[in-house]
Amino acid sequence: MLMRLFSNAVVRSFAPAAPDATSAVAPDSILVDGETIVAVGTRVELLDIAASESSTTAALASAGGIGATTVIPGLEIEEIDCAGQVILPGLVDAHMHSIHYADSLTDLDLSDVRSLTEAVDAIRERASQMPFGEWVVGSGWDINKWDDPRYPDRELLDQAVPDHPVAMWSVDLHTLWTNGHGLEIAGIDDLTADPFGGEFVRDDEGSLTGLVREDATDLVARFIPEPTRAEQVERLDRTQKLFLSQGLTGIHDFDSIASTLGWYDLREADRQHIRVTKYLRGPEVPWAIETGWHTGDGDDWLRRGGLKLFSDGALGSHTCHMSSPFPEPHVHEETVTPDEAGAEQESYTYPGTVPEDALSSAPEDANYGIAQMSEDDLFENARRATEAGISVAIHAIGDQANHHVLNVFERLRQTTKEAQERFERPLRHRVEHAQFIQPADVARFAELDVIASMQPRHCISDLHLLHLIDESAQLAAYAWPDLLAAGAHVAFGSDGPVEPANPFAAIYAAMTRAHISGDAATSFQPRRRLSAAEAIRQHTQGPAYAAGLDDRRGYLAPGMDADFIVVDTDPYVAEGLTVPADTGGTGGHGASAASVQEGPLDHDGLLGYESEEALFAHAEAIRDTTVALTVVGGQVKYQA
């Protein structure tokens, strides 16, 4: 097979034994044979290695421009000029919903609307373009960002769109807004009981409002027509091309059987260009056990992951399971002016104890979120999967949910050990999101060897929601460095389409913990920032470990899979960075010795930059990174 030489670059290998920031002779090239890296070093060194593999040597031909290639006669090698840009390991999104993401590129997007009126107008406009009676489907609405922050209901939809059933998902995908037509099709009326772990929201008279939360959404969503299998494949193909253009070489996919079939179809058609680790949903477990699905099976492109379970809901929907109650959303219960809404929101700023008068006067009426499954039910489902050789990933956002999930994994330890011995493979359990953690539970992630699968963009997207969290609980919030310092494994992702998939925006979020616009004044708990290098590790080595592929992926070295990207921004070098960028991390698994610092939270939050301005300048440059090439399995899968 033809060898490839990617040359004229600054190579940041992130290999544990390679001090990228301090190397005397920095590598500038990568030599690839098939899907595997042969060597990382200087161009001259790698040409010598290539020549030793060939019977002849030859004069070198020049290659012009980024991505330009030439075949060097005699060496049977194709050289690709990277034009002096930076090579990084391929980034992997450890938590992605590929079908939802694909659908979001087609369905109605309400993420930019700023009021209930705007949302209804957008739905009416989309309905006017559709055949009579078809479902109007969309997502992205967020009342927490509306000028009139009151919950939507069916009344306005019934007036605006009487001839179409409507299904509009909230931005966190945990609440569905539908109309009377949609409820009727689903067979749901005022007498329908709430399922365990879900809710049909009702008004004071007991009438359905059209809001459906958590597990109850399934009872409506199952009536929404799905694209044909062929249409879904085309949507997935479009989506993977977007991911490749953003520097992703792999994803951990948490969607349903539809995405499993879609990826299989792309694989069979030789059209899959991004690596996928596929996770199961609860209803698929009997089928998975019957067909012999085991975590770690599959091939290099489509790998079998574990089972996803749900412990609670989401912060924005007030359904994550907390140890302290949410304040009553009085501003949502009546129409208020934007000025009044702003004043109400400003009275609850983080940090701050939730005022007593913001809570229900009756303790039994206080909202602590929703426990979608009891601890015992979670354990029984997790035990069944683990005994069948399937690892477990449990969604937990609230601190009480995380506490229960850690209890489940503690009870599961012996079962996991026995299953790993029986199936001769690691079964690495995970907590998805882990946004709010009780202080005593931070160390338990490391003690139980449970991976914290986290999404940095959630931190900065939730800035306007943090008034909902009671500061007196002293929770570890979006506590990536705390977990790393405790010795836990962390893997970063996006939860797309809840957040955009672009991993460079996530790295910005980890570095700044501030609004995506770059407003330093919005930074939340700066002492919990991560350096660019450490954030990249959680997008490379973190997902590799979670998938059981840490011996093949996550950094660039001989024998590793040839997955890497060429970008225009160096995470190690920036004006105002006074110490090597690698020293800004907090250690933990996968970190180099240089990144370990004493008291990882006991610093000024500058990560080695001489000023806040210098830190934000570099973070914003990383946020705006342009990807020139994405290489997966040694082949260029994307070129700008």
Side-chain angles (χ1 to χ4, degrees), residues 47-48 50-60 72-76:
L47 285 171
D48 285 344
S52 69
E53 302 291 329
S54 176
S55 58
T56 60
T57 59
L60 305 179
I72 302 177
L75 291 185
E76 296 184 345

Side-chain angles (χ1 to χ4, degrees), residues 496-517:
V498 175
E499 303 288 353
N502 190 336
F504 294 100
I507 294 166
Y508 160 90
M511 293 176 69
T512 67
R513 300 172 68 92
H515 191 273
I516 193 66
S517 65

Side-chain angles (χ1 to χ4, degrees), residues 576-592:
L577 184 56
T578 58
V579 297
D582 218 24
T583 65
T586 59
H589 290 290
S592 68

Side-chain angles (χ1 to χ4, degrees), residues 370-381:
I370 292 179
Q372 292 200 40
M373 298 179 73
S374 69
E375 187 176 305
D376 286 342
D377 285 343
L378 280 171
F379 172 73
E380 286 303 319
N381 280 271

Side-chain angles (χ1 to χ4, degrees), residues 251-313:
I251 63 171
H252 294 187
D253 185 9
F254 281 82
D255 265 344
S256 64
I257 191 67
S259 71
T260 304
L261 297 175
W263 289 116
Y264 275 137
D265 289 347
L266 280 172
R267 181 74 175 125
E268 289 300 310
D270 198 27
R271 295 172 60 193
Q272 184 187 348
H273 303 304
I274 193 168
R275 300 191 195 270
V276 178
T277 299
K278 189 71 192 70
Y279 280 75
L280 300 164
R281 305 300 284 263
E284 299 167 2
V285 171
W287 164 81
I289 293 176
E290 183 179 345
T291 58
W293 176 298
H294 299 137
T295 295
D297 284 353
D299 58 33
D300 289 343
W301 290 85
L302 189 55
R303 188 176 180 86
R304 294 179 175 180
L307 164 67
K308 183 182 181 183
L309 299 171
F310 284 85
S311 177
D312 68 345

